[in-house]
Amino acid sequence: MIRSRAYIILGILAMLLFTACGQQHQAKSLVKDFIKEHATEEFNISDFSDLDSTRVISDSLFQAMQQKAANDPLFKNVDFSDVKATSTLLYIRMRYQKDTLEMSKTFYFDKDLSAVIAFK
């Protein structure tokens, strides 16, 4: 009886681990695709943070990030005008090297990880 419970708990923990790894990989892929489509110059991605969630971004802050993104010289043809923030946003931070400087950008996704919806 105790062994069967232990196996059930281990199985549930393994499923949660694989789900989290899948979301992390999907977020990285979305960022890389976004960069391929919108980057104005080449740069080397050095690292990604872990995927995390936030509920503290207000609509006005979200709109300000979108407007600032439209004028970011690192990316071209960025249009987030039809995207609205959801109650929970997922985000990942990308670290990259441009020339000899280490820099970072934070990319935000909807809770379904369907697309990049803002960055800063």
Side-chain angles (χ1 to χ4, degrees), residues 37 69 80:
E37 185 176 343
F80 294 125

Side-chain angles (χ1 to χ4, degrees), residues 20-36:
C21 291
Q23 287 183 324
Q24 179 80 15
H25 178 72
Q26 185 177 356
K28 287 179 185 179
S29 295
L30 286 171
V31 170
K32 289 176 183 177
D33 291 343
F34 182 85
I35 290 168
K36 282 181 188 174

Side-chain angles (χ1 to χ4, degrees), residues 57 60-70 108 118-120:
I57 296 185
S60 59
L61 180 58
F62 185 74
Q63 290 172 355
M65 277 194 302
Q66 288 178 325
Q67 290 171 353
K68 190 172 181 179
Y108 292 87
F119 68 87
K120 66 175 182 177

